[in-house]
Amino acid sequence: MTLELRDIEPATDSAAPVVLEARGLTKSYRGGDGASLHILRDLDLEVRRGEMVAIVGASGAGKSTLLHLLGALDSPTAGEVILAGSPIGRRSEAELAMIRNRQVGFVFQFHHLLREFSALENVMIPQRIHGTPTAEARERAEALLTRLGLAERMGHRPSELSGGEQQRAAVARALATAPAVLLADEPTGNLDYRNGELLHDVLAELARDLGMGMVVVTHNHSLADRADRILLLNQGRLTASDVRGGMF
């Protein structure tokens, strides 16, 4: 199976369709003293097809909270998220679950693979939940795992894979349903330098080659440097940042 590629030229990125948008996104919590704790404040974001955006900022700045809102894992206090052209607010839990399964791929610091299943089966599972026929799900899973350098390892269970292989299998699983957006939260935070660098290269290539939007939360400057844009989350708002090769 040949994965569907889209012709994305860097010079025309600004004309590519917006696949993920946040408008006036606000998230607040009520503290123990009754006062409001504002995590995100009237935040705006646009991510285009084929674009990789890195979100950086201090620990506790709200980066993971932002990803959860963008991926319909949590609801904002105010504002809205528009995914693949459709607002996701005021949806039922069943509708949100369908959106998460079909439109959003998630990659976290830990792979969360199901240990009793092989890498191939782990990548097939989201597709089977989606209703994809078994043969088609297997074909796409094999193509994704091969694309991620796991052609010889797809029959192995997670315990038989290295840390880097496990995380690459998790990326393949996140891509299984051809999502419009991939959201990654410190995806290489649990890997050694070599495996981290391999995955950094893969993530940067996938956004372009598969024509999806990608938002990566990271403290790793090597990963952020591969992004098309780096945005700093500070005091609840996003601003453009030029910290390539630096510290954040």
Side-chain angles (χ1 to χ4, degrees):
M1 177 181 183
T2 300
L3 293 179
E4 180 184 357
L5 303 183
R6 300 171 175 87
D7 295 325
I8 302 293
E9 296 294 336
T12 60
D13 280 352
S14 61
V18 174
V19 292
L20 178 64
E21 185 176 1
R23 296 177 180 171
L25 209 59
T26 298
K27 186 65 176 181
S28 302
Y29 296 99
R30 185 71 63 183
D33 60 358
S36 292
L37 177 63
H38 300 288
I39 307 300
L40 303 176
R41 300 170 181 265
D42 197 28
L43 179 149
D44 294 328
L45 173 67
E46 284 189 355
V47 181
R48 297 183 179 274
R49 184 162 64 93
E51 182 181 33
M52 177 180 175
V53 176
I55 307 291
V56 302
S59 296
K63 300 185 298 298
S64 294
T65 297
L66 174 58
L67 275 197
H68 290 172
L69 296 178
L70 296 176
L73 291 172
D74 194 6
S75 300
T77 305
E80 64 178 349
V81 174
I82 301 170
L83 179 61
S86 299
I88 63 175
R90 297 178 295 279
R91 301 291 187 96
S92 69
E93 185 51 45
E95 290 173 320
L96 290 174
M98 186 175 296
I99 289 170
R100 289 191 293 266
N101 179 255
R102 296 183 178 182
Q103 298 287 357
V104 186
F106 295 96
V107 181
F108 300 102
Q109 182 173 347
F110 299 98
H111 55 79
H112 299 301
L113 296 171
L114 299 176
R115 61 184 181 181
E116 64 269 33
F117 296 103
S118 67
L120 179 64
E121 291 167 333
N122 268 277
V123 180
M124 290 176 64
I125 287 171
Q127 301 178 78
R128 296 295 293 131
I129 293 172
H130 182 46
T132 304
T134 300
E136 184 180 336
R138 175 180 291 273
E139 188 178 8
R140 180 168 176 82
E142 289 175 346
L144 283 166
L145 288 166
T146 299
R147 172 69 176 77
L148 287 159
L150 296 172
E152 306 301 321
R153 307 290 285 167
M154 62 180 69
H156 291 69
R157 294 185 179 184
S159 62
E160 301 170 314
L161 301 174
S162 70
E165 289 170 340
Q166 290 171 353
Q167 195 66 330
R168 278 182 279 152
V171 172
R173 180 184 57 189
L175 299 174
T177 58
V181 175
L182 182 71
L183 304 177
D185 194 351
E186 297 289 358
T188 59
N190 199 40
L191 301 180
D192 59 36
Y193 177 81
R194 177 179 175 277
N195 280 301
E197 287 295 291
L198 288 172
L199 190 55
H200 294 166
D201 288 338
V202 166
L203 290 171
E205 291 168 3
L206 287 172
R208 180 185 65 250
D209 293 348
L210 299 183
M212 62 183 172
M214 184 183 298
V215 180
V216 180
V217 161
T218 185
H219 283 102
N220 190 303
H221 67 79
S222 177
L223 176 54
D225 284 351
R226 287 165 168 81
D228 298 291
R229 286 188 291 148
I230 302 175
L231 301 178
L232 174 66
L233 182 58
N234 183 40
Q235 295 184 345
R237 293 187 172 90
L238 287 172
T239 56
S241 177
D242 185 15
V243 292
R244 296 183 187 276
M247 300 295 292
F248 37 76

